[in-house]
Amino acid sequence: MPERLFIRLPEDPSCAPETTVPANTLTAFAVPARLRSAVAHVMAYEERFAQGDETVERVLPDGASRLLIVLQRGAATVHVAGARADAVLLAMGGHVHGLSVTLNLGALPALFGLPAKELAGLTVPWEDIVPRAHRHLAEQLAASDDDAARVRHLLASLQALQRPSDPSRHLVEHAARRLSDTGGGLSVRELAAELHIGERRVQQLFAANIGLTPGVWRRLQRLHGTLRLLRTARTARTAASPRWAEMALDAGYYDQSHLINEFRSLCGLTPQQLLQRAVSDSSNTGNGRFT
Protein backbone atom coordinates (compact mmCIF):
# COMPACT_ATOMS: atom_id res chain seq x y z
CA MET A 1 0.00 0.00 0.00
CA PRO A 2 1.45 3.45 -0.89
CA GLU A 3 2.61 5.61 2.00
CA ARG A 4 2.84 9.37 2.39
CA LEU A 5 4.15 11.75 5.05
CA PHE A 6 2.50 14.33 7.27
CA ILE A 7 4.76 16.59 9.31
CA ARG A 8 4.01 19.82 11.10
CA LEU A 9 6.37 21.80 13.32
CA PRO A 10 5.07 24.68 15.48
CA GLU A 11 6.17 27.36 13.02
CA ASP A 12 4.61 25.63 10.00
CA PRO A 13 1.25 26.66 8.50
CA SER A 14 -1.08 23.75 7.77
CA CYS A 15 1.82 21.35 7.27
CA ALA A 16 5.56 21.20 6.80
CA PRO A 17 7.19 21.45 3.35
CA GLU A 18 8.24 17.81 3.69
CA THR A 19 4.62 16.71 3.82
CA THR A 20 3.46 14.71 0.82
CA VAL A 21 -0.27 15.08 1.54
CA PRO A 22 -1.93 17.17 -1.23
CA ALA A 23 -1.97 20.76 0.05
CA ASN A 24 -5.42 21.47 -1.42
CA THR A 25 -6.98 18.94 0.97
CA LEU A 26 -6.06 21.02 4.06
CA THR A 27 -7.66 24.25 5.33
CA ALA A 28 -6.37 26.19 8.35
CA PHE A 29 -8.68 28.32 10.50
CA ALA A 30 -7.76 31.29 12.65
CA VAL A 31 -7.70 30.83 16.42
CA PRO A 32 -9.49 33.68 18.27
CA ALA A 33 -7.40 35.60 20.79
CA ARG A 34 -9.46 34.38 23.73
CA LEU A 35 -8.48 30.76 22.99
CA ARG A 36 -4.82 31.15 22.02
CA SER A 37 -3.62 30.06 25.44
CA ALA A 38 -5.27 26.67 24.86
CA VAL A 39 -5.40 26.18 21.09
CA ALA A 40 -2.36 26.32 18.82
CA HIS A 41 -3.83 25.35 15.45
CA VAL A 42 -7.14 24.36 13.83
CA MET A 43 -7.31 22.52 10.53
CA ALA A 44 -9.96 20.86 8.38
CA TYR A 45 -9.11 18.12 5.92
CA GLU A 46 -11.16 16.55 3.15
CA GLU A 47 -10.08 14.18 0.44
CA ARG A 48 -11.77 11.69 -1.88
CA PHE A 49 -9.90 8.62 -3.05
CA ALA A 50 -10.84 6.71 -6.17
CA GLN A 51 -12.73 3.48 -5.53
CA GLY A 52 -10.26 0.81 -4.53
CA ASP A 53 -7.44 3.27 -3.90
CA GLU A 54 -5.92 3.30 -0.42
CA THR A 55 -2.84 4.85 1.12
CA VAL A 56 -1.16 4.97 4.51
CA GLU A 57 -0.40 8.35 6.01
CA ARG A 58 2.58 8.45 8.39
CA VAL A 59 2.12 11.31 10.87
CA LEU A 60 5.40 12.24 12.53
CA PRO A 61 5.24 13.10 16.25
CA ASP A 62 5.27 16.66 17.57
CA GLY A 63 4.44 15.92 21.23
CA ALA A 64 1.14 17.83 21.18
CA SER A 65 -2.28 16.77 22.41
CA ARG A 66 -5.20 17.11 20.00
CA LEU A 67 -8.90 17.01 19.39
CA LEU A 68 -9.75 14.72 16.48
CA ILE A 69 -13.11 15.01 14.75
CA VAL A 70 -14.14 12.49 12.08
CA LEU A 71 -17.10 13.33 9.82
CA GLN A 72 -18.63 10.36 8.05
CA ARG A 73 -22.03 9.52 6.58
CA GLY A 74 -23.74 12.47 8.26
CA ALA A 75 -22.36 11.70 11.71
CA ALA A 76 -19.46 13.06 13.75
CA THR A 77 -17.19 11.56 16.39
CA VAL A 78 -15.01 13.64 18.69
CA HIS A 79 -11.94 12.29 20.47
CA VAL A 80 -9.20 13.76 22.63
CA ALA A 81 -5.74 12.40 21.86
CA GLY A 82 -2.93 12.69 24.38
CA ALA A 83 0.69 13.43 23.57
CA ARG A 84 2.83 10.71 22.07
CA ALA A 85 6.37 10.37 20.78
CA ASP A 86 6.00 7.90 17.94
CA ALA A 87 4.64 8.05 14.42
CA VAL A 88 0.97 7.30 13.80
CA LEU A 89 -0.03 5.31 10.71
CA LEU A 90 -3.47 6.12 9.29
CA ALA A 91 -5.18 4.02 6.61
CA MET A 92 -6.82 6.38 4.10
CA GLY A 93 -9.47 5.54 1.54
CA GLY A 94 -12.92 6.53 0.30
CA HIS A 95 -14.16 9.94 1.51
CA VAL A 96 -11.96 11.27 4.34
CA HIS A 97 -13.26 14.36 6.15
CA GLY A 98 -12.65 15.85 9.58
CA LEU A 99 -11.07 18.45 11.82
CA SER A 100 -7.88 18.47 13.86
CA VAL A 101 -7.24 20.86 16.74
CA THR A 102 -3.71 21.07 18.13
CA LEU A 103 -3.65 22.05 21.79
CA ASN A 104 -0.99 24.08 23.56
CA LEU A 105 1.07 22.81 26.46
CA GLY A 106 -1.00 22.77 29.62
CA ALA A 107 -4.31 22.87 27.75
CA LEU A 108 -5.53 19.44 28.89
CA PRO A 109 -5.70 20.35 32.60
CA ALA A 110 -6.96 23.85 31.74
CA LEU A 111 -9.80 22.51 29.58
CA PHE A 112 -10.64 19.10 31.02
CA GLY A 113 -9.21 19.19 34.53
CA LEU A 114 -7.03 16.16 33.80
CA PRO A 115 -3.26 15.79 34.20
CA ALA A 116 -1.82 15.35 30.73
CA LYS A 117 -0.06 12.13 31.79
CA GLU A 118 -3.47 10.41 32.15
CA LEU A 119 -4.07 10.74 28.40
CA ALA A 120 -0.51 10.22 27.15
CA GLY A 121 -0.55 7.83 24.21
CA LEU A 122 -4.34 7.41 24.46
CA THR A 123 -7.33 8.54 22.38
CA VAL A 124 -10.52 8.87 24.41
CA PRO A 125 -14.08 9.90 23.48
CA TRP A 126 -14.93 13.55 24.17
CA GLU A 127 -18.08 12.46 26.01
CA ASP A 128 -16.02 10.54 28.57
CA ILE A 129 -14.15 13.58 29.91
CA VAL A 130 -16.46 16.60 29.58
CA PRO A 131 -19.43 17.65 31.77
CA ARG A 132 -22.86 16.49 30.66
CA ALA A 133 -23.78 19.93 29.29
CA HIS A 134 -21.03 19.65 26.64
CA ARG A 135 -21.64 16.09 25.48
CA HIS A 136 -23.85 17.14 22.56
CA LEU A 137 -20.92 18.56 20.56
CA ALA A 138 -20.83 15.68 18.06
CA GLU A 139 -24.49 16.23 17.17
CA GLN A 140 -23.87 19.96 16.67
CA LEU A 141 -20.95 19.27 14.36
CA ALA A 142 -22.87 16.71 12.32
CA ALA A 143 -25.76 19.15 11.85
CA SER A 144 -23.54 22.08 10.77
CA ASP A 145 -23.58 23.24 7.16
CA ASP A 146 -19.82 23.51 6.61
CA ASP A 147 -16.43 23.29 8.27
CA ALA A 148 -16.40 26.97 9.23
CA ALA A 149 -19.59 26.48 11.24
CA ARG A 150 -18.19 23.31 12.80
CA VAL A 151 -15.07 25.15 13.88
CA ARG A 152 -17.19 27.87 15.48
CA HIS A 153 -19.15 25.28 17.49
CA LEU A 154 -15.99 23.50 18.51
CA LEU A 155 -14.16 26.65 19.64
CA ALA A 156 -17.24 27.85 21.53
CA SER A 157 -17.28 24.57 23.46
CA LEU A 158 -13.60 24.87 24.27
CA GLN A 159 -14.06 28.44 25.44
CA ALA A 160 -16.88 27.36 27.75
CA LEU A 161 -14.66 24.64 29.20
CA GLN A 162 -11.72 26.93 29.94
CA ARG A 163 -10.78 27.31 33.56
CA PRO A 164 -8.01 29.36 35.20
CA SER A 165 -4.58 27.95 34.44
CA ASP A 166 -2.34 26.62 37.16
CA PRO A 167 0.41 29.20 37.84
CA SER A 168 3.01 26.49 37.22
CA ARG A 169 1.92 26.31 33.58
CA HIS A 170 4.04 29.35 32.76
CA LEU A 171 7.06 27.60 34.22
CA VAL A 172 6.61 24.47 32.12
CA GLU A 173 5.98 26.59 29.01
CA HIS A 174 9.29 28.31 29.61
CA ALA A 175 11.02 24.99 30.24
CA ALA A 176 9.62 23.42 27.06
CA ARG A 177 10.57 26.50 25.05
CA ARG A 178 14.15 26.36 26.35
CA LEU A 179 14.47 22.74 25.25
CA SER A 180 13.01 23.66 21.87
CA ASP A 181 15.23 26.72 21.41
CA THR A 182 18.35 24.68 22.15
CA GLY A 183 17.25 21.85 19.85
CA GLY A 184 17.29 19.46 22.79
CA GLY A 185 20.85 20.48 23.61
CA LEU A 186 20.04 21.38 27.20
CA SER A 187 20.06 18.45 29.63
CA VAL A 188 17.27 18.01 32.15
CA ARG A 189 19.75 18.66 34.96
CA GLU A 190 20.87 21.90 33.32
CA LEU A 191 17.26 22.89 32.76
CA ALA A 192 16.37 22.30 36.41
CA ALA A 193 19.33 24.36 37.56
CA GLU A 194 18.37 27.18 35.21
CA LEU A 195 14.81 27.18 36.59
CA HIS A 196 16.06 26.96 40.20
CA ILE A 197 13.96 23.86 40.90
CA GLY A 198 14.76 20.17 41.35
CA GLU A 199 14.82 17.62 38.56
CA ARG A 200 11.90 15.81 40.18
CA ARG A 201 9.83 19.00 40.01
CA VAL A 202 10.66 19.34 36.32
CA GLN A 203 9.43 15.77 35.81
CA GLN A 204 6.18 16.56 37.65
CA LEU A 205 5.54 19.72 35.61
CA PHE A 206 6.00 17.89 32.31
CA ALA A 207 3.79 15.00 33.41
CA ALA A 208 0.96 17.32 34.47
CA ASN A 209 1.07 19.75 31.55
CA ILE A 210 2.49 17.84 28.57
CA GLY A 211 2.15 14.15 29.34
CA LEU A 212 5.70 13.32 28.24
CA THR A 213 8.84 13.21 30.33
CA PRO A 214 11.29 16.08 29.83
CA GLY A 215 13.74 13.55 28.41
CA VAL A 216 11.27 12.44 25.72
CA TRP A 217 10.32 16.06 24.98
CA ARG A 218 14.03 16.81 24.59
CA ARG A 219 14.40 13.98 22.08
CA LEU A 220 11.48 15.34 20.03
CA GLN A 221 13.01 18.83 19.99
CA ARG A 222 16.29 17.39 18.74
CA LEU A 223 14.40 15.54 16.01
CA HIS A 224 12.64 18.74 15.00
CA GLY A 225 15.95 20.59 15.01
CA THR A 226 17.33 17.99 12.60
CA LEU A 227 14.35 18.48 10.27
CA ARG A 228 15.07 22.21 10.26
CA LEU A 229 18.71 21.52 9.40
CA LEU A 230 17.57 19.32 6.51
CA ARG A 231 15.43 22.19 5.23
CA THR A 232 18.44 24.46 5.02
CA ALA A 233 20.73 21.83 3.52
CA ARG A 234 19.13 22.28 0.04
CA THR A 235 19.51 18.59 -0.60
CA ALA A 236 16.40 18.48 -2.78
CA ARG A 237 17.87 21.00 -5.19
CA THR A 238 21.34 19.48 -5.45
CA ALA A 239 20.22 15.83 -5.29
CA ALA A 240 23.27 15.33 -3.06
CA SER A 241 23.02 13.22 0.06
CA PRO A 242 23.55 15.16 3.28
CA ARG A 243 26.70 14.57 5.24
CA TRP A 244 24.89 12.67 7.94
CA ALA A 245 27.84 12.39 10.32
CA GLU A 246 28.29 16.17 10.33
CA MET A 247 24.56 16.79 10.60
CA ALA A 248 24.33 14.40 13.55
CA LEU A 249 26.89 16.41 15.49
CA ASP A 250 25.31 19.73 14.47
CA ALA A 251 21.93 18.49 15.70
CA GLY A 252 23.28 17.35 19.07
CA TYR A 253 23.53 13.59 18.53
CA TYR A 254 26.55 11.61 19.67
CA ASP A 255 27.21 10.30 16.18
CA GLN A 256 25.50 9.20 12.98
CA SER A 257 24.29 5.92 14.51
CA HIS A 258 22.60 7.83 17.32
CA LEU A 259 20.84 10.04 14.75
CA ILE A 260 19.63 7.05 12.73
CA ASN A 261 18.42 5.13 15.80
CA GLU A 262 16.47 8.14 17.09
CA PHE A 263 14.76 8.67 13.74
CA ARG A 264 13.80 4.99 13.63
CA SER A 265 12.44 5.14 17.16
CA LEU A 266 10.46 8.37 16.78
CA CYS A 267 9.51 8.30 13.08
CA GLY A 268 9.73 4.66 12.05
CA LEU A 269 12.07 5.78 9.24
CA THR A 270 15.76 6.50 8.91
CA PRO A 271 16.58 10.12 8.02
CA GLN A 272 17.60 9.00 4.52
CA GLN A 273 14.27 7.20 4.03
CA LEU A 274 12.36 10.27 5.17
CA LEU A 275 14.32 12.50 2.82
CA GLN A 276 13.84 10.14 -0.12
CA ARG A 277 10.08 9.92 0.42
CA ALA A 278 9.65 13.66 0.73
CA VAL A 279 11.69 14.38 -2.40
CA SER A 280 10.40 11.50 -4.53
CA ASP A 281 6.77 12.47 -3.94
CA SER A 282 7.24 16.21 -4.50
CA SER A 283 6.21 16.09 -8.15
CA ASN A 284 2.89 14.48 -7.23
CA THR A 285 1.78 16.93 -4.56
CA GLY A 286 3.62 20.17 -5.22
CA ASN A 287 4.18 20.23 -1.47
CA GLY A 288 6.60 17.49 -0.49
CA ARG A 289 9.97 19.17 -0.74
CA PHE A 290 12.71 20.43 1.49
CA THR A 291 13.25 24.15 1.07
Side-chain angles (χ1 to χ4, degrees):
M1 188 180 298
E3 184 176 301
R4 65 191 192 186
L5 293 173
F6 183 90
I7 308 171
R8 184 177 181 274
L9 302 184
E11 68 272 18
D12 294 328
S14 294
C15 57
E18 302 87 1
T19 293
T20 55
V21 176
N24 62 2
T25 66
L26 307 173
T27 304
F29 290 85
V31 178
R34 63 185 180 275
L35 271 174
R36 287 176 192 158
S37 65
V39 176
H41 186 256
V42 180
M43 181 178 69
Y45 58 88
E46 185 168 13
E47 186 173 0
R48 295 180 186 273
F49 293 83
Q51 187 173 1
D53 285 355
E54 292 185 337
T55 192
V56 172
E57 187 168 303
R58 182 179 295 269
V59 182
L60 267 59
D62 61 2
S65 298
R66 285 182 167 78
L67 300 184
L68 303 173
I69 295 89
V70 174
L71 302 161
Q72 193 173 41
R73 298 185 182 91
T77 58
V78 184
H79 287 82
V80 181
R84 56 189 305 152
D86 58 346
V88 175
L89 299 179
L90 304 174
M92 315 286 283
H95 181 202
V96 181
H97 187 194
L99 305 173
S100 175
V101 177
T102 304
L103 300 177
N104 282 318
L105 307 182
L108 285 181
L111 292 171
F112 306 108
L114 293 172
K117 66 179 180 181
E118 291 191 12
L119 294 182
L122 301 176
T123 301
V124 301
W126 165 273
E127 294 81 4
D128 288 359
I129 60 172
V130 299
R132 184 179 301 275
H134 299 279
R135 294 176 188 171
H136 59 285
L137 177 62
E139 289 79 6
Q140 286 183 325
L141 299 180
S144 299
D145 292 332
D146 53 32
D147 286 336
R150 294 182 185 100
V151 168
R152 288 194 296 271
H153 281 303
L154 180 55
L155 296 181
S157 291
L158 292 178
Q159 185 182 357
L161 286 169
Q162 276 195 114
R163 62 195 74 195
S165 294
D166 188 304
S168 66
R169 179 176 175 181
H170 298 292
L171 188 59
V172 76
E173 287 173 344
H174 174 74
R177 188 164 52 248
R178 286 290 292 136
L179 291 179
S180 178
D181 291 345
T182 60
L186 196 67
S187 71
V188 178
R189 177 174 295 180
E190 292 168 333
L191 177 64
E194 187 177 292
L195 297 174
H196 305 292
I197 59 177
E199 288 184 58
R200 184 174 181 182
R201 179 57 177 156
V202 175
Q203 298 279 353
Q204 292 171 339
L205 287 171
F206 272 71
N209 291 279
I210 299 177
L212 302 174
T213 68
V216 170
W217 180 263
R218 181 171 175 251
R219 291 172 61 201
L220 283 175
Q221 303 319 302
R222 190 163 49 199
L223 168 70
H224 298 165
T226 308
L227 291 174
R228 294 182 181 102
L229 285 175
L230 282 169
R231 292 178 183 182
T232 61
R234 300 182 178 179
T235 55
R237 296 190 189 127
T238 63
S241 179
R243 297 178 178 177
W244 294 114
E246 293 180 12
M247 183 166 289
L249 296 177
D250 289 343
Y253 296 98
Y254 298 125
D255 52 27
Q256 184 174 342
S257 294
H258 186 202
L259 166 69
I260 292 171
N261 289 336
E262 281 291 273
F263 264 69
R264 282 177 173 154
S265 175
L266 299 171
C267 304
L269 299 171
T270 68
Q272 184 66 43
Q273 287 171 331
L274 186 148
L275 179 61
Q276 289 173 339
R277 293 189 186 192
V279 173
S280 65
D281 287 347
S282 62
S283 61
N284 296 327
T285 65
N287 188 45
R289 61 188 182 280
F290 284 91
T291 56

